[in-house]
Amino acid sequence: MTKPLVLIVEDDKPVRNLIALTLESQGYRHESAETGKAAILTSVSQQPDLMILDLGLPDMDGVDVIVKTRTWSQMPIIIVSSRSDDSDKIAALDAGADDYLTKPFSIDELLARLRVALRRLQYLRGSAAEQELVFTNGPLKIDYAGGCVFVDGREIHLSPIEYKLLCLLSRNVGKVLTHNYFIKEVWQNALPYDSPSLRVYMATLRKKLEVPLGQKLIQTHVNVGYRMLRLSDGGTAQD
Ligand code: CA
């Protein structure tokens, strides 16, 4: 298998070099870009497998790089930025980023996120996720055609909203989805004022699945959103 090609978009040279050296030590190939414009051109010409993106670039905002890239590519995009406000993270995720890390970051954490993103890429490429009829993640199985959910072969009964939330999470396994995203997809942007909050629905869904699974499936990103973790067949969350 060819080594994955990672595009590093970062105008800060020491950070760029650090990421590049780390990627090399782990056997990844890499390309670099210092500006948003260069990032887009390199994406088109080199077709990287993944992008590591700084948000504060000299010529344009990183969020605009995401928006432009998403018009033609589904490659995972990991944000590495010094912007730590939830609103910045949400804007980047809503624009189509997969994940974010706040500077200063640990190299081990970056590598862990990279592995998650590359598995998501394999998933997207391997199974044409959108058309898939059955989703499996460790002992969890979702039969999209029948609308049924199983853990270790035992059916789990979910409410229609819990099921919708689970489908969104599973179709984007490994990616952080924002609160806005769920509210747009499930309630067409308007969560009825008398219905429980998204947090309550998620809590119930987690309980129904994580108790039989005996492990964490849905990761909470406080004030930002949720992500479904990839479970191994033996039943432990990876990264
Ligand atoms: Ca910068």
Side-chain angles (χ1 to χ4, degrees):
M1 203 183 97
T2 4
K3 295 170 179 175
L5 176 63
V6 179
L7 174 60
I8 310 162
V9 186
E10 172 65 75
D11 59 320
D12 184 340
K13 199 173 172 192
V15 177
R16 196 170 64 235
N17 289 346
L18 173 69
I19 297 176
L21 282 172
T22 306
L23 293 177
E24 270 168 36
S25 75
Q26 301 295 313
Y28 295 111
R29 293 179 297 142
H30 60 85
E31 287 283 338
S32 295
E34 293 174 40
T35 63
K37 206 174 160 196
I40 292 162
L41 287 173
T42 312
S43 296
V44 174
S45 62
Q46 304 291 316
Q47 306 266 319
D49 298 299
L50 189 144
M51 189 190 286
I52 293 176
L53 176 68
D54 177 27
L55 290 178
L57 297 168
D59 59 335
M60 61 199 274
D61 195 283
V63 173
D64 295 326
V65 176
I66 305 170
V67 172
K68 287 206 165 65
T69 305
R70 280 288 172 256
T71 59
W72 63 274
S73 170
Q74 285 307 306
M75 75 170 132
I77 300 177
I78 302 175
I79 302 300
V80 176
S81 170
S82 50
R83 297 183 197 165
S84 58
D85 282 2
D86 290 337
S87 60
D88 291 313
K89 293 172 185 168
I90 292 166
L93 292 166
D94 277 340
D98 286 63
D99 203 350
Y100 61 83
L101 269 179
T102 307
K103 288 176 187 168
F105 59 94
S106 95
I107 286 296
D108 288 343
E109 186 64 25
L110 176 65
L111 289 172
R113 306 292 180 94
L114 208 67
R115 289 193 294 272
V116 170
L118 287 169
R119 269 201 293 277
R120 175 171 151 72
L121 182 70
Q122 268 175 356
Y123 170 70
L124 288 174
R125 283 183 181 163
S127 58
E130 289 302 314
Q131 281 87 46
E132 211 177 39
L133 293 179
V134 174
F135 169 85
T136 358
N137 183 6
L140 171 72
K141 188 175 130 185
I142 307 171
D143 173 354
Y144 293 131
C148 313
V149 180
F150 304 88
V151 171
D152 277 327
R154 228 189 75 228
E155 188 167 3
I156 307 290
H157 296 283
L158 301 179
S159 74
I161 287 182
E162 288 157 7
Y163 179 71
K164 268 194 192 177
L165 294 172
L166 179 66
C167 287
L168 293 173
L169 287 162
S170 62
R171 293 219 185 258
N172 295 283
V173 59
K175 180 172 176 172
V176 181
L177 302 175
T178 64
H179 298 151
N180 302 342
Y181 177 83
F182 289 108
I183 290 168
K184 185 177 97 204
E185 294 293 321
V186 179
W187 293 278
Q188 285 74 47
N189 284 328
L191 190 61
Y193 75 95
D194 58 344
S195 79
S197 71
L198 175 61
R199 194 171 53 80
V200 175
Y201 284 113
M202 269 309 169
T204 322
L205 177 61
R206 286 181 61 166
K207 206 166 153 193
K208 285 186 179 180
L209 294 171
E210 288 177 358
V211 170
L213 282 167
Q215 60 178 314
K216 199 162 148 182
L217 174 72
I218 301 168
Q219 189 181 52
T220 303
H221 290 243
V222 179
N223 297 331
V224 174
Y226 301 91
R227 155 171 37 208
M228 181 185 282
L229 302 170
R230 259 277 164 212
L231 309 175
S232 71
D233 291 333
T236 34
Q238 299 179 343
D239 292 322

